Amino acid sequence: MNLFRRVCIPFLRQVPKIATPRLVALSLLTSHLVLYSKRVNASTTPNPEASNNGFNKYEKFSDQIYEQIHQTHDIIIVVDPDRFVEHFLDELLQVVDQVIKVQKVRSKRPLKVLTLNEPITEKLVRDFEQKYKITIEQDTIMLLKNKYIQRIYNFNANDYFENRILLINYFKKINKLTHKKLNEFEQILSYLPSTESAVLVYADKTSPQYKNVQTRFCIMQQNDNYQKNEKLHWILIDKAVADRLGIQNIQNGQLFILQKSSKLNNFQSSITINNKKLLITSAGTLGGKSMDNVMEDLTQAYNDVNVFSNRSFGKQATKYSIVLELDLNKIPKHEETRLVKAFGELKKYLKETNPEILNKTEFIYLNKTPKDNHLGYQVYIRDDEKYGDRLRQHQETNMDMMKKLSVFNEFGQAHSYIFRLDEQIQVSKDSLISFFMAVKNGHANEYFQTQEQPKYKKYSIKLVGKTFQKEVMESKKDYAIFQYSKNCHACGEYGQYYENLALESYKQENPTMIYGRMNNDHNKPSCIQDFPYTPVFMVCKKGIQNYPYVYRNQKFTPELLKSFFSVTNAINLIPEEQYQKLQADRALYIQNQ
């Protein structure tokens, strides 16, 4: 578990300030925000006039103000802005100002910005945590409160790397479906792409559970895997509208999936709206279950009526993934229809003959250009269970079990666990069944993508399993690590940018971060988490090497990668001995309650 996510530590005034050389923040991930990055020196000193920062225009946080507005307003609480260096402070101020502007355009709900800028003491942190059920972490930037959700969300430095779009999505409005809104709703459904779906929940305003349903639906929208299009999430509060949609005997908290009738769901339909056939599927209820179980119900309901899985609802634990990857610009419509039909027939066959395997198999539809292929499409299967063996292998202490879980074949070659259907074979129900059974029974050959890696000079330090403990875990400096593999095309593409950063560090007289690289196929240090994929970019901070920062972003640019390493290097941690003392004090405090 990440150190930052398990510690409640006050922002002590003597702690060095957080510096950032380049923070693109939210502008790269949402069209709503437009920010301009600034070039900043990592050694920038704190602003001596921090008390005059731009956040002074916002009201100071107090318990009284919070109690007055938390039921009616969305709230952003900026935690101790005085502690930030000037450049980071300026960009953070732009972010907050832009979020306010976005909210004014898309929602009538008021948004209030408060600043918690009194001296952060240990007592203040503990009192705040007990009162508001929130942990202030060492790298907390701001606290977010959606008026529909009772809990406060801790938005910290990791969110800049992993989930920056959350700052926008957290305040996403809830669409309420009434008779007045019916025309708008029907127009949205009329233009709904066949690959997308809308989710509808019924909330009876006369029920005492009305607010609970509203709150849970809002929480559901925050799910990382859930669709981000706010126009596709609706709360139905008018029973007459349910009758118009042909939904009978509707219950409070009941969920429905709405989608266009198409080849992807075997042209099933429930109702016709604006001359468009739509399929409405019941998907359980919101009440009496965890949010993970709600997502599982949505996933199962969708998969029951569709050929391919909807990954927006989350991914179930699977044994196999069978993938249809095609370029719609290269193949005609009738060819796509034929391929989808063959996948539907395979799914029907598994449902009739082996439902247990079907429940552990995910059918995936990808619209992208296949590599090493001239047909415009390809079919492959991935053994997801064996693909995860690398993680389990290094949790075992039994040698026989470790050999059984080995990720290498008898020739010492790393397994890909991917099997591709020969492009000379015509895709049909029979050929897909034969191919699937060959993979299941271990008779298919693994596929290794052949891609010549670009040539570039390496300036990073080569790491191997035997030296990893000494080089990284005992390092007196922060350590950047690039994990790559031989058959990874992205590694060859992105590696050159990493080596450029290593060169910049190499030129410095006293660099604050060391850059290393490690072949993930042949080196599996047991002292850190293993990854079943590449590339992996991570930073092991001095003093907490066991809890590295990992670059997780749906986009990759050289600027983002540079920002990731620079910002993580600039985040200063409190000394380990001080952390241990705080942990001991916290444990004693909890014990005495």
Side-chain angles (χ1 to χ4, degrees):
M1 186 175 182
N2 194 307
L3 175 66
F4 296 119
R5 302 207 180 274
R6 65 180 175 85
V7 184
C8 177
I9 300 178
F11 286 107
L12 303 177
R13 290 290 177 179
Q14 64 266 31
V15 175
K17 309 297 183 180
I18 294 178
T20 172
R22 180 186 288 260
L23 185 59
V24 183
L26 301 165
S27 60
L28 295 171
L29 297 178
T30 172
S31 59
H32 295 302
L33 299 182
V34 181
L35 301 180
Y36 298 92
S37 56
K38 300 182 179 181
R39 185 173 185 83
V40 184
N41 191 313
S43 62
T44 303
T45 56
N47 180 7
E49 299 180 359
S51 59
N52 295 322
N53 70 68
F55 282 97
N56 288 340
K57 65 183 178 181
Y58 295 117
E59 195 169 358
K60 291 185 178 180
F61 173 88
S62 71
D63 292 336
Q64 293 78 12
I65 294 174
Y66 183 84
E67 287 300 321
Q68 291 172 7
I69 67 173
H70 80 278
Q71 295 288 351
T72 57
H73 289 61
D74 291 327
I75 303 172
I76 293 177
I77 305 172
V78 183
V79 179
D80 192 14
D82 285 350
R83 77 188 192 279
F84 297 123
V85 294
E86 180 180 357
H87 300 282
F88 182 78
L89 191 70
D90 290 344
E91 294 206 26
L92 191 61
L93 188 63
Q94 291 182 58
V95 169
V96 173
D97 289 345
Q98 290 287 354
V99 170
I100 293 172
K101 292 177 182 177
V102 169
Q103 280 301 101
K104 285 182 178 179
V105 171
R106 74 175 185 179
S107 175
K108 295 180 180 179
R109 219 162 65 213
L111 187 146
K112 184 80 169 179
V113 177
L114 303 172
T115 58
L116 183 63
N117 53 2
E118 58 184 289
I120 306 297
T121 64
E122 187 173 348
K123 182 179 183 304
L124 183 146
V125 170
R126 285 177 173 166
D127 291 346
F128 196 96
E129 180 185 31
Q130 292 174 44
K131 185 177 182 70
Y132 298 108
K133 310 301 180 186
I134 179 68
T135 297
I136 295 182
E137 301 164 348
Q138 188 179 353
D139 61 343
T140 294
I141 295 175
M142 60 185 78
L143 304 172
L144 312 178
K145 174 67 175 67
N146 184 312
K147 67 167 276 191
Y148 295 114
I149 302 177
Q150 297 306 310
R151 67 189 182 201
I152 298 175
Y153 183 84
N154 186 338
F155 188 85
N156 60 25
N158 257 345
D159 288 319
Y160 276 108
F161 309 134
E162 299 181 13
N163 196 18
R164 297 173 189 171
I165 193 66
L166 174 67
L167 193 55
I168 289 295
N169 286 336
Y170 192 81
F171 301 113
K172 187 163 48 181
K173 72 174 185 178
I174 296 180
N175 299 298
K176 295 182 179 180
L177 180 54
T178 62
H179 191 272
K180 185 178 179 180
K181 287 272 190 176
L182 184 57
N183 286 338
E184 177 188 347
F185 180 69
E186 290 181 342
Q187 284 295 322
I188 291 171
L189 294 182
S190 297
Y191 293 99
L192 188 67
S194 58
T195 54
E196 294 188 18
S197 55
V199 176
L200 183 71
V201 65
Y202 176 59
D204 185 356
K205 292 197 75 172
T206 64
S207 169
Q209 294 299 314
Y210 171 73
K211 284 191 175 181
N212 182 52
V213 170
Q214 184 173 256
T215 296
R216 288 178 62 77
F217 190 65
C218 190
I219 293 173
M220 190 178 83
Q221 291 188 113
Q222 308 302 328
N223 187 286
D224 288 343
N225 291 317
Y226 198 40
Q227 300 175 66
K228 305 305 181 188
N229 189 341
E230 63 186 46
K231 293 294 186 181
L232 299 182
H233 316 118
W234 292 77
I235 287 186
L236 173 60
I237 59 177
D238 190 338
K239 216 166 188 178
V241 176
D243 296 335
R244 168 69 180 84
L245 295 174
I247 303 174
Q248 304 297 324
N249 302 318
I250 196 168
Q251 303 296 319
N252 191 49
Q254 191 170 358
L255 284 163
F256 298 90
I257 301 172
L258 296 86
Q259 58 185 138
K260 183 180 177 181
S261 176
S262 72
K263 55 183 168 290
L264 300 180
N265 53 40
N266 298 315
F267 297 100
Q268 301 176 75
S269 64
S270 307
I271 190 174
T272 300
I273 294 179
N274 294 341
N275 297 320
K276 302 288 185 180
K277 291 184 177 181
L278 300 173
L279 176 62
I280 302 177
T281 306
S282 178
T285 65
L286 269 176
K289 62 184 72 171
S290 68
M291 204 51 60
D292 287 341
N293 288 337
V294 170
M295 289 299 169
E296 288 176 5
D297 288 347
L298 281 169
T299 300
Q300 188 61 52
Y302 186 94
N303 291 345
D304 285 345
V305 297
N306 287 272
V307 176
F308 298 97
S309 306
N310 186 324
R311 312 197 94 188
S312 297
F313 298 139
K315 186 176 183 296
Q316 294 177 313
T318 58
K319 167 64 177 170
Y320 300 106
S321 291
I322 178 165
V323 182
L324 173 60
E325 185 176 285
L326 70 172
D327 186 342
L328 294 178
N329 294 320
K330 291 185 177 181
I331 65 172
K333 277 287 184 183
H334 66 83
E335 183 70 352
E336 180 201 7
T337 300
R338 184 184 68 80
L339 294 170
V340 170
K341 183 179 179 182
F343 268 69
E345 290 173 339
L346 170 63
K347 190 170 186 178
K348 182 178 179 182
Y349 170 82
L350 292 177
K351 185 176 182 179
E352 294 172 350
T353 62
N354 203 332
E356 291 185 3
I357 286 293
L358 177 60
N359 288 336
K360 295 179 181 179
T361 302
E362 185 173 31
F363 285 65
I364 301 173
Y365 177 99
L366 293 179
N367 179 14
K368 61 181 291 188
T369 303
K371 297 184 181 298
D372 300 337
N373 181 280
H374 305 289
L375 298 176
Y377 70 85
Q378 67 177 356
V379 176
Y380 60 89
I381 296 174
R382 186 179 67 215
D383 189 327
D384 292 330
E385 192 170 80
K386 289 183 179 178
Y387 201 73
D389 278 353
R390 290 177 178 176
L391 292 178
R392 297 194 298 276
Q393 184 184 27
H394 296 284
Q395 296 171 355
E396 291 288 343
T397 56
N398 182 284
M399 184 59 67
D400 292 334
M401 181 59 69
M402 289 177 69
K403 290 180 179 179
K404 183 178 179 181
L405 294 174
S406 177
V407 297
F408 301 101
N409 61 24
E410 63 270 28
F411 305 108
Q413 184 181 31
H415 283 295
S416 71
Y417 299 121
I418 295 175
F419 309 85
R420 190 173 76 164
L421 181 67
D422 192 321
E423 61 184 72
Q424 302 300 321
I425 298 176
Q426 176 81 0
V427 175
S428 66
K429 171 187 174 182
D430 292 338
S431 65
L432 288 180
I433 291 173
S434 298
F435 177 49
F436 186 89
M437 299 311 293
V439 172
K440 176 179 176 294
N441 296 326
H443 299 150
N445 295 323
E446 290 179 89
Y447 164 68
F448 294 90
Q449 179 178 309
T450 57
Q451 179 71 39
E452 184 178 352
Q453 297 185 22
K455 304 296 182 181
Y456 52 85
K457 194 169 182 179
K458 298 176 176 63
Y459 301 94
S460 58
I461 297 173
K462 184 177 181 179
L463 299 170
V464 295
K466 292 181 180 179
T467 62
F468 194 90
Q469 177 70 35
K470 182 177 180 180
E471 287 280 353
V472 179
M473 307 308 285
E474 299 176 12
S475 174
K476 301 301 182 184
K477 295 184 178 182
D478 295 347
Y479 220 112
I481 302 169
F482 167 40
Q483 295 191 36
Y484 63 92
S485 58
K486 181 179 179 181
N487 295 303
C488 170
H489 172 67
C491 296
E493 184 178 354
Y494 301 155
Q496 57 187 316
Y497 302 117
Y498 179 82
E499 294 300 337
N500 289 339
L501 297 177
L503 175 60
E504 290 183 20
S505 176
Y506 181 77
K507 291 179 179 179
Q508 296 176 12
E509 183 176 345
N510 186 26
T512 57
M513 180 181 286
I514 303 172
Y515 285 78
R517 68 185 186 278
M518 184 174 68
N519 189 321
N520 186 272
D521 291 336
H522 305 295
N523 299 282
K524 307 293 177 183
S526 58
C527 48
I528 62 167
Q529 177 190 355
D530 188 19
F531 295 88
Y533 56 84
T534 54
V536 175
F537 297 102
M538 58 193 290
V539 173
C540 290
K541 293 285 292 181
K542 172 189 172 184
I544 58 162
Q545 285 92 333
N546 288 321
Y547 305 98
Y549 275 117
V550 180
Y551 179 88
R552 292 188 176 96
N553 198 322
Q554 294 179 351
K555 293 187 177 183
F556 179 93
T557 66
E559 291 77 17
L560 274 176
L561 186 66
K562 182 177 181 179
S563 175
F564 167 71
F565 288 122
S566 300
V567 174
T568 51
N569 185 220
I571 294 176
N572 296 296
L573 307 176
I574 67 169
E576 182 67 16
E577 59 271 16
Q578 192 174 32
Y579 159 66
Q580 295 295 344
K581 179 181 180 299
L582 287 168
Q583 284 291 80
D585 292 345
R586 169 176 287 274
L588 182 62
Y589 177 82
I590 294 175
Q591 182 180 350
N592 293 333
Q593 293 303 300

